[in-house]
Amino acid sequence: MAAARVVPHLMTLADLSPAQINRLLAHSYALKQQSLPWLDPQGAQRKKGLRLPPQSLFNKTIALLFSKRSTRTRLAAETSSVLLGGRALFLGRDDIQLGVNESPRDTARVIGGMCQGIFARVGEHEEIEELAKHSPVPVLNALSSYWHPTQILADLLTLHEHSHLFLKAGEAPKELASSDILPPLSPLTVAYVGDSANVLHDMLVTYPRLGHKLQVASPEKYRAPTAVWDRVVELECDKGIMWTADPKEAVHNADVVITDTWISMGQEAEKAERLAAFEGYQVTEQLCKEGGANPNWQFLHCLPRKPHEVDDEVFFGPRSLVYPEADNRKWTIMALFDLLFGKWDLSAEGATAADRPDKPKYQKHNKHNKNKNHNSH
């Protein structure tokens, strides 16, 4: 008798190898190039040779189990499901019995009996772990108190697409064999200024393993929870991370500066205390100039943004990659839906460019305190 197939789940990018992460990024980019012509105004689609994206979700339904509000994550999930030939079914906190008259175990089993994947946006990380423990179909973390893997994939895709901005003087972009191939990204110095919340946590377990240096500024009280830091150390990522309480020190020699909300969902009662603790952490041109960031530094923010986190000059200025970053939530979530929900395959090796055999294969690229944080993205 054949062994039961193991159900794959994804809670954090710490669960994946660098090769698996690079495959996801390459697949995201290829799907984006393949899908965009189909989204042009009618008439542009008459180009010869166009093929649909993989229809791996044909006749399949993905449950969006969201207990927290969402803009980018929900839009990305619903629109990318359509491109993959399937349907996303939104289940908000007021739509089902979960947490009222039904346990996570029962909910996971019932949803998994009717849907082919669960994309869950929860509060405490234990909630999504409980869902995955009992679900007969793959569960993907759309956000939890500890982790936010889909956001970091979108950030990395955005940096790859804008890799030309980080070239040294006189260095030319590398010519690629196909427009479907993800542009390579040289090792960067990435500065994060703000609260140690779920966005940073997935950065901590990912950026160092891809060859990037991570410099983090946060007050001593607002550092990574023990459960997160244990994963960082387990993966030996701590060797590529510098912590400081001084934002100017963090942005020194930075190619990219990133911040996030200081007051996440569930932390509203701490607003005054947190605003005081993060005084001086607002990302500005002056902060980065005084700290010695690289002259051509670029800015990322996962949204929603508040002016005390970053001023208008940076957020709306030419350094900002915020809106391409937001757009890329769609393509990275689409890649995860295709591979995790459609094919149950997050291996390091796999598809050709957008699953087309006539295209070249993807290139591979280069290689505290216990405070629970709830992000609002």
Side-chain angles (χ1 to χ4, degrees):
M1 183 175 178
R5 191 175 181 187
V6 177
V7 182
H9 305 297
L10 183 61
M11 301 291 104
T12 164
L13 296 182
D15 297 338
L16 302 179
S17 69
Q20 288 174 297
I21 294 169
N22 282 328
R23 181 197 174 192
L24 276 168
L25 292 171
H27 195 49
S28 302
Y29 186 75
L31 287 173
K32 181 177 182 177
Q33 305 315 308
Q34 186 174 4
S35 300
L36 286 175
W38 292 97
L39 304 180
D40 282 344
Q42 194 168 6
Q45 298 171 9
R46 299 180 187 275
K47 299 175 185 175
K48 291 183 178 180
L50 283 185
R51 293 181 62 181
L52 284 171
Q55 298 298 284
S56 59
L57 297 187
F58 179 72
N59 276 346
K60 296 179 182 178
T61 303
I62 306 305
L64 309 185
L65 190 58
F66 283 28
S67 63
K68 287 194 170 187
R69 296 187 304 273
S70 168
T71 299
R72 284 149 296 281
T73 306
R74 178 176 177 179
L75 281 169
E78 295 195 4
T79 56
S80 62
S81 294
V82 171
L83 282 168
L84 292 170
R87 180 188 178 191
L89 181 64
F90 184 79
L91 303 173
R93 64 165 64 236
D94 297 323
D95 297 322
I96 58 176
Q97 295 284 355
L98 178 62
V100 181
N101 296 314
E102 198 158 6
S103 69
R105 178 173 184 170
D106 292 345
T107 298
R109 176 57 186 85
V110 170
I111 293 177
M114 302 186 195
C115 299
Q116 287 67 56
I118 299 175
F119 192 35
R121 186 178 176 90
V122 301
E124 299 298 337
H125 186 67
E126 292 81 357
E127 296 175 47
I128 196 166
E129 288 183 324
E130 184 73 6
L131 288 170
K133 181 179 178 181
H134 300 290
S135 174
V137 298
V139 174
L140 173 59
N141 185 3
L143 175 145
S144 70
S145 58
Y146 283 164
W147 308 107
H148 199 353
T150 61
Q151 179 62 54
I152 303 315
L153 288 172
D155 291 4
L156 285 165
L157 177 59
T158 305
L159 294 176
H160 274 274
E161 289 180 327
H162 294 84
S163 59
H164 59 281
L165 298 176
F166 307 110
L167 295 175
K168 295 180 175 62
E171 188 178 0
K174 183 177 179 181
E175 290 191 18
L176 302 174
S178 166
S179 60
D180 285 329
I181 295 176
L182 181 70
L185 181 65
S186 299
L188 301 175
T189 297
V190 180
Y192 179 92
V193 179
D195 187 23
S196 181
N198 48 26
V199 167
L200 174 62
H201 298 165
D202 255 302
M203 291 173 61
L204 294 173
V205 295
T206 303
Y207 278 72
R209 292 192 291 146
L210 298 179
H212 308 298
K213 183 179 180 182
L214 194 53
Q215 300 177 168
V216 183
S218 63
E220 188 68 31
K221 181 179 177 181
Y222 300 96
R223 299 285 172 90
T226 301
V228 169
W229 191 249
D230 286 347
R231 295 300 300 274
V232 173
V233 173
E234 175 190 337
L235 294 169
E236 299 184 348
C237 289
D238 53 313
K239 299 172 184 177
I241 300 168
M242 184 270 284
W243 286 90
T244 178
D246 183 358
K248 292 180 183 177
E249 184 178 6
V251 302
H252 186 67
N253 288 333
D255 301 297
V256 183
V257 179
I258 304 175
T259 191
D260 190 6
T261 184
W262 301 348
I263 306 155
S264 298
M265 291 183 190
Q267 296 175 338
E268 290 79 8
E270 305 172 31
K271 181 176 181 178
E273 177 185 352
R274 284 176 166 270
L275 288 177
F278 288 96
E279 185 176 357
Y281 278 69
Q282 184 191 45
V283 176
T284 63
E285 287 284 351
Q286 182 179 353
L287 171 71
C288 293
K289 182 178 181 179
E290 292 179 359
N294 283 340
N296 195 36
W297 63 274
Q298 303 296 305
F299 177 74
L300 293 176
H301 191 300
C302 58
L303 298 174
R305 163 259 184 178
K306 298 180 179 63
H308 58 246
E309 299 154 5
V310 52
D311 69 3
D312 286 355
E313 182 183 10
V314 171
F315 186 81
F316 294 111
R319 298 187 187 279
S320 179
L321 300 177
V322 168
Y323 293 117
E325 174 189 14
D327 295 342
N328 279 335
R329 295 298 306 284
K330 175 169 183 165
W331 309 113
T332 48
I333 285 174
M334 183 177 177
L336 280 165
F337 278 22
D338 178 35
L339 297 179
L340 182 64
F341 295 148
K343 299 168 183 171
W344 286 34
D345 176 19
L346 288 179
S347 61
E349 300 292 340
T352 55
D355 285 344
R356 288 177 290 174
D358 57 317
K359 291 291 182 179
K361 284 188 177 294
Y362 295 140
Q363 290 185 344
K364 293 179 187 174
H365 305 296
N366 54 323
K367 283 186 127 184
H368 316 54
N369 297 333
K370 257 195 175 179
N371 59 302
K372 288 189 178 179
N373 298 309
H374 302 266
N375 204 297
S376 59
H377 315 297

